[in-house]
Amino acid sequence: QVQLVESGGGLVQPGGSLRLSCAASGSIFTIYTMNWYRQAPGEQRELVAGITSGGTTNYADSVKGRFTISRDNAKNTMYLQMNSLKPEDTAVYYCQARGLATQRDLFTSWGQGTQVTVSS
């Protein structure tokens, strides 16, 4: 079992910054891709950003230029640096990882979510 734990959420004023972390643990052979999703009340869960083991990144248009995704493979940890936050960024943010638990067994795991609230 691969477990993911998010941290770093909280309340911030518009224009402020937060740094989210996602730590993976358990049976991990290789993590191919790690993604950040978010879900606001009454809305669909959406992909915010993703990063591959090789460092290739992608971002939703709504966060380009403001958010930066990164990972520390030695620590099995992913980060999301969020700058210039807007009220519309308010959501529960979820970490997702997919890869190989062993040389033969694929996995996809989700974290429990961390609340980000942007409000004055």
Side-chain angles (χ1 to χ4, degrees):
Q1 181 180 355
V2 177
Q3 294 180 305
L4 304 177
V5 178
E6 299 103 332
S7 62
L11 175 64
V12 66
Q13 294 184 348
S17 298
L18 285 173
R19 182 177 171 88
L20 305 183
S21 298
C22 172
S25 62
S27 179
I28 301 171
F29 184 77
T30 300
I31 299 177
Y32 290 144
T33 303
M34 300 186 78
N35 301 305
W36 286 102
Y37 288 78
R38 68 186 181 189
Q39 187 168 24
E43 299 185 9
Q44 301 268 41
R45 187 171 298 188
E46 65 173 340
L47 178 65
V48 177
I51 186 167
T52 70
S53 59
T56 301
T57 60
N58 64 283
Y59 298 92
D61 288 342
S62 60
V63 307
K64 285 181 179 177
R66 299 188 298 119
F67 291 10
T68 302
I69 189 171
S70 62
R71 63 190 286 176
D72 185 336
N73 291 332
K75 297 180 179 179
N76 284 329
T77 301
M78 173 178 64
Y79 307 94
L80 185 67
Q81 179 66 47
M82 304 186 294
N83 298 326
S84 302
L85 283 162
K86 304 174 180 179
E88 50 263 45
D89 295 318
T90 296
V92 177
Y93 284 70
Y94 297 91
C95 174
Q96 183 209 60
R98 61 183 183 182
L100 292 172
T102 71
Q103 292 187 62
R104 297 175 58 89
D105 302 314
L106 293 166
F107 75 87
T108 299
S109 295
W110 290 86
Q112 82 289 345
T114 185
Q115 177 71 48
V116 172
T117 302
V118 185
S119 177
S120 59

